[in-house]
Amino acid sequence: MQDSEDLSFHVAWHPFATTITLSNDVPIEIVSKLLGHSKLSTTQIYARVVDQKIGEDMYLLQSKLN
């Protein structure tokens, strides 16, 4: 059994890594490889889309369409 420090690091690492990378336009496929996941669906579990990123992407889309 892992001690609580290792478990806490593991639990915190994936959301942190996905939030930082995805918010900076790193494709989820690259994030998956960086985290050592063999399946993209594993990475998708940890990936959280932040409201700020949604707003930024919609603003960019709107500016492209105008």
Side-chain angles (χ1 to χ4, degrees):
M1 175 125 180
Q2 294 179 329
D3 65 24
S4 60
E5 184 177 321
D6 290 340
L7 185 58
S8 295
F9 175 80
H10 178 77
V11 169
W13 171 246
H14 283 80
F16 172 78
T18 54
T19 299
I20 296 301
T21 54
L22 295 174
S23 292
N24 286 288
D25 300 322
V26 177
I28 195 167
E29 296 84 359
I30 301 298
V31 176
S32 186
K33 294 282 185 185
L34 290 171
L35 293 174
H37 297 158
S38 58
K39 296 181 180 180
L40 187 60
S41 59
T42 303
T43 310
Q44 290 171 329
I45 293 168
Y46 294 103
R48 303 288 183 253
V49 178
V50 292
D51 290 339
Q52 179 181 353
K53 180 66 175 155
I54 294 171
E56 291 170 1
D57 288 348
M58 291 298 100
Y59 178 79
L60 289 172
L61 177 62
Q62 181 181 14
S63 67
K64 289 179 182 181
L65 296 174
N66 290 331

